[in-house]
Amino acid sequence: PVAVIFGATCVLKSKPWGKRVVAILKGLPCQPCSGPDNRERWEACTEWKCMAELEPQTVVDVATGLLEGKLNG
């Protein structure tokens, strides 16, 4: 099982392949902001809300769910 935390990176381009892979992200309107198509958003970002607002408990819950077989990805 794999739990991947995404902030500025595009999930569609960067999520690993696999049967039990879960992307963890805040889902803000500014995501994703990395890459050549989003350079202005990347350079304008000063708060990094995509990472700062992602609760640690969310990551723990997803990882626990994967390990316990409750999440399949």
Side-chain angles (χ1 to χ4, degrees), residues 48-64:
W48 299 101
K49 289 181 179 181
C50 57
M51 296 302 285
E53 293 184 7
L54 188 61
E55 295 292 329
Q57 191 60 50
T58 300
V59 177
V60 170
D61 291 346
V62 170
T64 301

Side-chain angles (χ1 to χ4, degrees), residues 10-51:
C10 179
V11 175
L12 296 175
K13 293 182 179 180
S14 302
K15 182 180 173 190
W17 290 24
K19 293 181 180 180
R20 296 186 62 204
V21 178
V22 175
I24 304 170
L25 65 153
K26 189 67 181 166
L28 299 172
C30 56
Q31 286 179 284
C33 70
S34 66
D37 297 335
N38 299 309
R39 186 176 194 105
E40 287 179 21
R41 277 195 278 176
W42 173 270
E43 292 175 351
C45 185
T46 59
E47 298 178 15
W48 299 101
K49 289 181 179 181
C50 57
M51 296 302 285

